[in-house]
Amino acid sequence: MEEFFDPQWGSATLGVRAAEPRSENREHSAALSLTSSYVYRSAAQAAAVFSGAEPGYIYSRFTNPTTEAFEKRLAAMEAGASCVATASGMAAILTLCLSLLKQGDHIVSSRGLFGSTIGLFNNFLAKFGISVSYVDLTDLAAWEAAVQPNTRLLFAETPTNPLVEIADIRALADIAHRRGALLCVDNCFLTPVLQQPLKLGADFVIHSATKYIDGQGRCIGGAIVGDAERVGKDVFGFMRTAGPCMSPFNAWVFLKGLETLAVRMKAHCENAHGLAEWLSEQPTVKRVFYPGLATHPQHELARRQQSGFGGVLAFEVEGGREAAWKVVDATRLISITANLGDTRTTITHPATTTHARISAEAREQAGIGEGLLRVAVGLEDLKDLSGDLARGLKF
Ligand SMILES: *Cc1c(COP(=O)(O)O)cnc(C)c1O
């Protein structure tokens, strides 16, 4: 492992250079260590490594050179001391909750969460006596009011899906810390290239590496980043015992993904911004939701807190579900799927897919109308994307 890197490097440099794994063969590009276990030269050396007296790898459930390189590089990019890679983004959230929380603890979370996160909180953590209160992401007074004496964790996703609302991370961290709780931010939509929640006071960052970190829709993975005590010891300890670990093969793919993350995110942002502006000019489009537009309610906050506006946008068409479905069905290039963070642009109708299981009333309340479409903008040429949407937007 080439341990040296300068934490002051920019995210592009850290993504390419931080924690490059290098064996005695001096390979230039990271090798893939597909091994479940490791051999020792003697009984004494085995004992020393197992006891921790001597550094070394033990078993790939919790120590693998490729996975370790991915963890160290992502930690460097997020400005965190420690990172633990997990089998998926959901495994990251589960792992954090199970290592941090105990029976009787309480979570305050934003309402507009990734669907499986809500399912995990409501259906599974609840079985172990952990309760959750949901609040509006942007209503700081509601966050404050929802904190109870047993609140241990504040959990926020910013920007949200699909309306790309923005939470004030520093303000949430202040509320958490004043009340003896910790803040976790799901940074999947922006990646450390565009937002570094730990620098804004968050205690944990969660990733679904499945999205932009892979960036090409191949592997499932996740990560938790934070300090050396809670993540380096507590979360790592849970991983070592419970084992929701990342495959070394996936870690190798994600490591390669980090090398191009900065340049890809820039291109995603440029395309999304261009498409948002183009959509704003279309007569059949009622409203466009993109933090880069001056019309976005948290535009100023996004400018302050992020170094880019991200690759996801939403827009509402005149004519409800029928008109929205027409736009989806008229596409030839854009993929009809709910995935995001891919080179390929995707389109989804939230009201009948990702948000179909919540009541129509709750959907309307959350602003997810029948005419709303979400686009996760990929890396194709902007003119081809607008051309693909234009077909279905005509009267
Ligand atoms: C996809 C996603 C997750 C879950 O990640 P998986 O890798 O699919 O388990 C969590 N949060 C957000 C915001 C996501 O988009």
Side-chain angles (χ1 to χ4, degrees), residues 142-262:
W143 283 89
E144 183 87 55
V147 176
Q148 305 172 4
N150 59 339
T151 302
R152 181 95 175 102
L153 185 68
L154 270 57
F155 191 97
E157 214 175 284
T158 178
T160 57
N161 181 33
L163 292 174
V164 286
E165 290 181 301
I166 311 279
D168 187 334
I169 296 174
R170 194 176 289 285
L172 290 183
D174 285 347
I175 294 173
H177 298 155
R178 227 181 316 113
R179 307 290 294 275
L182 299 165
L183 174 66
C184 176
V185 174
D186 183 329
N187 202 22
C188 172
F189 270 47
L190 291 181
T191 81
V193 171
L194 303 181
Q195 172 169 278
Q196 293 172 298
L198 299 179
K199 282 194 178 165
L200 297 166
D203 301 283
F204 306 103
V205 165
I206 287 289
H207 274 289
S208 166
T210 317
K211 312 295 168 53
Y212 290 104
I213 291 178
D214 176 323
Q216 299 181 49
R218 298 162 295 188
C219 291
I220 302 276
I224 305 150
V225 190
D227 68 21
E229 188 64 29
R230 294 194 187 91
V231 175
K233 281 217 185 88
D234 299 347
V235 172
F236 177 78
F238 178 84
M239 171 62 65
R240 179 177 183 139
T241 308
C245 56
M246 177 179 282
S247 135
F249 178 82
N250 289 8
W252 182 80
V253 171
F254 296 138
L255 192 66
K256 294 278 129 195
L258 290 179
E259 291 183 16
T260 57
L261 187 62

Side-chain angles (χ1 to χ4, degrees), residues 205-343:
V205 165
I206 287 289
H207 274 289
S208 166
T210 317
K211 312 295 168 53
Y212 290 104
I213 291 178
D214 176 323
Q216 299 181 49
R218 298 162 295 188
C219 291
I220 302 276
I224 305 150
V225 190
D227 68 21
E229 188 64 29
R230 294 194 187 91
V231 175
K233 281 217 185 88
D234 299 347
V235 172
F236 177 78
F238 178 84
M239 171 62 65
R240 179 177 183 139
T241 308
C245 56
M246 177 179 282
S247 135
F249 178 82
N250 289 8
W252 182 80
V253 171
F254 296 138
L255 192 66
K256 294 278 129 195
L258 290 179
E259 291 183 16
T260 57
L261 187 62
V263 61
R264 283 188 287 110
M265 290 315 289
K266 202 168 149 206
H268 281 292
C269 289
E270 265 172 33
N271 257 359
H273 210 145
L275 197 64
E277 281 172 350
W278 178 84
L279 283 164
S280 308
E281 290 160 7
Q282 303 312 305
T284 51
V285 172
K286 266 207 272 194
R287 198 170 158 198
V288 181
F289 301 85
Y290 184 65
L293 298 179
T295 51
H296 188 282
Q298 292 101 37
H299 175 63
E300 282 310 314
L301 174 60
R303 290 180 75 100
R304 232 180 22 247
Q305 174 169 287
Q306 307 171 192
S307 58
F309 300 112
V312 177
L313 61 84
F315 63 101
E316 194 164 8
V317 294
E318 303 276 4
R321 181 188 297 197
E322 198 186 330
W325 277 24
K326 190 178 141 215
V327 174
V328 174
D329 291 340
T331 58
R332 291 178 198 153
L333 177 156
I334 298 174
S335 311
I336 306 170
T337 172
N339 196 28
L340 66 101
D342 198 306
T343 51

Side-chain angles (χ1 to χ4, degrees), residues 316-317 320-322 324-325 349 351-352 360 363-364 368-372:
E316 194 164 8
V317 294
R321 181 188 297 197
E322 198 186 330
W325 277 24
H349 182 244
T352 51
R363 260 199 316 270
E364 283 298 332
I368 301 165
E370 291 285 330
L372 190 79

